[in-house]
């Protein structure tokens, strides 16, 4: 498969998070841009108030980077993070994409075929096959899944809760970017295509926020699909990937905390930008340098 | 921490499975005993009818071994598996257990703190803290979780479906061994203790079947807990571990199939057997040789 | 609206039920054919073993008849019921049906617009409007709902549990007659059409059993629809109606009991039978004499 | 049973509601104080903008009063309602309450024993019997249910959605007044005690809002219980009762609408007020004049 590398682009991404914390609690965060072969970080900085030691858990399997804090006193916790990221997404032209097949993979990929917290692929198998069973080409099948989600599920950023799963979303037909991604993942897994959740900063997202898409494993690459059509695929800066949002939640709290405020930014620092549309899918994008 | 190794025991385990398959479908099975430092397999054999090539996916992270089949024709599929296993569980005496702490761990352990398909630790956090927040010693806390499950949830092997999760089981208060394990995992994760699902052959299980327990990561060991109290902890022969039953399902079908018949056996071949009770927890058991 | 009455037909219906009961428990049963203006009962008989007093709760709002038993001793409970029923369903020819409108109704009808235990019309509103919003004629709209259910949801009599609701069935796409009825009710209510559950004996049902359909209130009549297409509409003998299966459950147990065996029969005793198909809907059927 | 009538009290209650409506839609509202034998209304007034005809559906079975609007144009809908209410709650002193029994009732009461949209008494039966099975006196049993809810479920007014049911609340252990009421209803039904949902204006509620409690049918009276302990039982002004919140929702929308603003008031106009605590339950209160 011929893969073309885009020229490097340089983004500045960052976030400001403010939590109310009921101590004692442990909190685990996933907000850092991920340093990979195709994402090089410079000038990464994190400031935390009150002044706490963070334990940085570096990704063993390349999934995401976690910051862990032990909070012994109740009160507000603020986190201010920023980094520069040079990205080099790989692009696959349309002609190549028609030839992809799911192909063989080893045991590290297999868990991405199994149901997870928010992606009950087992329960949605009939719906997946009824709607998408007629496609024989895997790439076209995933494009059809992506279009169906966009056309049938109303994008609403603020209506769902941390209980809402793909199972709910196919019945209720509205959700945020994470809900749409969960449906895509669940359908693909039901169709025998390994799929995972992508948490990312996104350039040109209409309302700056963390973004979520899904990736499907086709011929050895994790290709990214975005059923929201809200941001260019080559403007994504990867935070991490996982089986679903539970694996790369912005913040996981073992105890009680409330997110009071979140500001997110993603700015192009250098180089012209030729957006690759998540709607037309004339080109596919792989955010990994082989990872 | 002082760990004592039991003398080797030798079991013969096996299963006979009969499925009705609607082709085309891919099926992924997890029924093999896992070869690890503390489980040595000999005379392992699998016969399949009709005569199909199985693809063996060996465990990359030591979790479980999968057999994958591509079925192109509808009909019955039968699998007959058997192996001899020498096991050498590690035993931790009571005196040691009182000193355990959750301690530090790396990023490979972290996913076992996150919610998964059947273990919604996020949704059950209040229930976990309300019932078990008063315990400061992690081992005692897990023992209390195990006892609570045994005392409050009626063991019924055949009432639940593949929709039933820990969230359901704490409301409905009945379930099979997998349901009880899911509740244990969800509670432990909510309490900040890494927990995972164990699929196993079990010696002296009253009705021969596949068995499920849960493991908790305490001071660098995965210790096994069984809220069913049905089988000795040192008679377990590990098939695999995962985030919950979805990761080590006996059979995952991408398409349609029905399990028509399952026979399971676990026989002691050599050596005397001094059962370690899952009820009294006077000794804790680790099935891994450090894995 | 011109309504035609079919000639009387005479059926013999009955059932034999065997339960295992853990005393003390109260059980409430709904298995009697309902005596209404268009259903006249003769030779009704019930024998119970052990010999217990039943309290007969006669329908105040014409919904169903309940037999209540207080069981003070554990053991088996058997019920043998039979009756002759003269039915006189009202038939509406196609020409009339095109003119129906939902129209006005009083407060007794309103609850049949609200969500109920198994019919979450609130949660399924988008799905209902997305699929059926384009129909302006209410009768055509309900016919479209009925066809959609038949075409998309696989009829399987034995896979679902008492947890399964319309919300589950639209995601899982398989279910028994009660599940299909629940989906029809939920969609109709979401579309602003009062709908209720019908529990019935059914003549010519391929496998003799209790049957379930749904009724929609159109121009002052409750018209019956059967998305299973399994039995003629004019061969239905009404047991009762309710907001969903919870209101007319065969048996509701306040304590523990298990249904061990159920045999159901519905035989034509007199008169020729010209089946009115639930599939073609060339004629609509109202089982009430105005009730 | 000796029942004492309190002296009349006079309240002024009212609400201001503002909705965004996507036409065409039908909306059904339940916000009027209910005129009954023990609640006499005077100076009732409703003003609606834009100027629309409301259809008033008067309660056939004494449950609640509905206003129905057909909205043909999108935009804002505001409703301003107020009325004076003379209430005369009946009070049962403690000595009497110890003698109550569930007793006999007719078929109109039976539906309040069945599971409903938000009160899955069928699924929560084990939990109910495990916690409250030891009580033989029905009034004490309901008091124990009420206390348990107060002690175990954290009152939080704004966290739950219209998906949240009693089944969720017993697992998640937090909710608003409607969620706590749903749990009370579900437990009581499981325990064989007819129970229903009460929607009300509440005097001395700390934050003025609509309030919800539950009622249990004991010896021919519907007695009110409030697990939030937030308002005196004799300061409740009944809006309506139903099987759960679905039956007496403030607003049910057949189409799309969003509640933008709600202001609620309940003021004592005349007479001194001796609060009857919902916490101590030294006296029980029946809001009906026999209804």
């Amino acid at each position: 498969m011929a893969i073309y590398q885009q020229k490097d682009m340089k983004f500045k991404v960052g976030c400001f998070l403010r939590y109310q914390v009921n101590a004692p609690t442990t909190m685990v965060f996933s907000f850092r841009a991920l340093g990979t072969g195709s994402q090089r970080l410079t000038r990464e900085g994190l400031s935390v108030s009150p002044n706490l030691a963070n334990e940085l858990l570096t990704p063993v399997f390349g999934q995401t980077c976690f910051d862990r804090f032990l909070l012994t006193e109740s009160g507000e916790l603020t986190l201010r993070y920023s980094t520069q990221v040079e990205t080099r997404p790989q692009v696959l032209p349309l002609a190549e994409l028609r030839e992809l097949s799911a192909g063989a993979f080893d045991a590290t990929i297999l868990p991405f075929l199994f149901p997870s917290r928010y992606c009950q692929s087992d329960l949605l198998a009939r719906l997946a096959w009824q709607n998408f069973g007629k496609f024989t080409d895997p790439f076209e099948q995933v494009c059809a899944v992506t279009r169906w989600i966009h056309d049938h599920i109303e994008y609403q950023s603020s209506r769902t809760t941390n209980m809402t799963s793909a199972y709910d979303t196919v019945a209720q037909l509205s959700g945020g970017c994470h809900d749409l991604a969960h449906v895509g993942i669940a359908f693909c897994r039901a169709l025998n295509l390994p799929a995972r959740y992508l948490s990312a900063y996104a350039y040109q997202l209409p309302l700056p926020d963390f973004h979520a898409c899904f990736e499907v494993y086709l011929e050895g690459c994790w290709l990214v699909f975005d059923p929201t059509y809200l941001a260019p695929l080559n403007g994504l800066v990867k935070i991490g990937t996982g089986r679903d949002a539970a694996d790369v939640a912005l913040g996981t709290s073992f105890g009680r905390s409330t997110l009071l405020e979140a500001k997110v930014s993603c700015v192009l620092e250098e180089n012209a930008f030729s957006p690759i549309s998540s709607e037309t899918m004339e080109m596919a994008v792989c955010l990994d340098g082989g990872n």
Side-chain angles (χ1 to χ4, degrees), chain A:
Chain A
M1 182 168 57
I3 291 178
Y4 305 92
Q5 296 219 336
Q6 285 213 306
K7 263 198 280 190
D8 285 13
M9 287 166 296
K10 191 179 279 182
F11 296 96
K12 186 175 179 193
V13 302
C15 62
F16 170 77
L17 305 172
R18 194 159 60 88
Y19 282 86
Q20 174 64 39
V21 174
N22 287 18
T25 186
T26 297
M27 297 191 71
V28 175
F29 295 97
S30 167
F31 52 67
R32 288 177 186 265
L34 187 66
T36 66
S38 58
Q39 278 195 179
R40 285 196 308 153
L41 309 192
T42 51
R43 302 197 194 177
E44 194 182 22
L46 172 65
S47 64
V48 182
S49 166
N51 193 10
L52 288 170
N54 67 315
E55 183 187 2
L56 186 63
L57 293 156
T58 52
V60 177
F61 312 129
Q63 307 254 13
T64 196
C65 211
F66 291 105
D67 285 88
R68 180 160 58 171
F69 294 90
L70 305 175
L71 296 144
T72 53
E73 285 178 48
S74 294
E76 279 198 13
L77 171 69
T78 61
L79 301 148
R80 193 178 299 272
Y81 170 74
S82 76
T83 188
Q84 283 189 331
V85 191
E86 272 184 52
T87 68
R88 193 183 292 183
Q90 299 173 318
V91 177
L92 295 81
L94 190 63
E96 301 289 334
L97 295 168
R98 302 294 170 196
E99 301 167 16
L100 296 182
S101 75
F105 43 76
D106 68 23
T108 59
I109 299 298
L110 206 59
F112 297 100
L113 281 172
F114 294 149
S116 61
R117 171 74 179 85
Y118 295 110
C119 304
Q120 301 94 332
S121 44
D122 50 334
L123 302 176
L124 299 178
R126 280 171 200 272
L127 188 52
W129 285 95
Q130 206 171 87
N131 284 332
F132 310 109
K134 63 175 177 284
F135 292 92
T136 53
D137 176 83
F139 181 76
E140 281 187 28
Q141 198 172 36
V142 184
C143 288
V145 165
T146 305
R147 262 194 314 273
W148 185 95
I149 294 170
H150 183 270
D151 293 348
H152 288 80
I153 303 179
E154 184 170 354
Y155 175 76
Q156 287 193 314
S157 59
S158 60
R159 283 287 193 77
T160 58
T161 71
N162 66 340
M163 282 204 67
T164 309
S165 66
Y167 189 74
D168 298 302
T169 304
V170 299
Q172 300 191 39
L173 296 180
S174 78
C177 57
H178 52 290
D179 299 307
L180 275 61
H182 287 152
V183 174
I185 294 165
F187 281 160
C188 287
R189 289 181 190 164
L191 297 166
N192 216 352
L193 300 170
R196 70 184 186 187
Y197 185 90
L198 171 71
S199 169
Y201 292 94
Y203 180 52
Q204 294 185 337
L205 196 63
L207 294 170
D209 202 348
F210 294 106
H211 195 45
C213 304
F214 69 101
E215 294 186 334
V216 182
Y217 194 76
L218 292 175
E219 201 143 299
C221 283
W222 285 104
L223 300 183
V224 63
F225 296 84
D226 182 357
T228 71
Y229 295 176
L230 286 177
L233 296 173
N234 56 339
L236 295 167
V237 174
K238 186 197 279 201
I239 294 170
T241 54
R243 290 171 63 172
D244 58 29
D247 279 7
V248 284
L250 170 62
T252 301
S253 191
F254 299 88
R256 294 202 207 159
S257 66
T258 311
L259 178 60
L260 301 176
E261 188 181 357
K263 286 184 195 153
V264 182
S265 65
C266 181
V267 180
L268 186 67
E269 294 263 287
E270 273 179 34
N271 248 324
F273 184 74
S274 310
I276 297 180
S277 163
S278 57
E279 180 172 359
T280 60
M281 288 306 286
E282 284 165 5
M283 288 178 284
V285 168
C286 170
L287 299 178
D288 301 322
N291 168 41

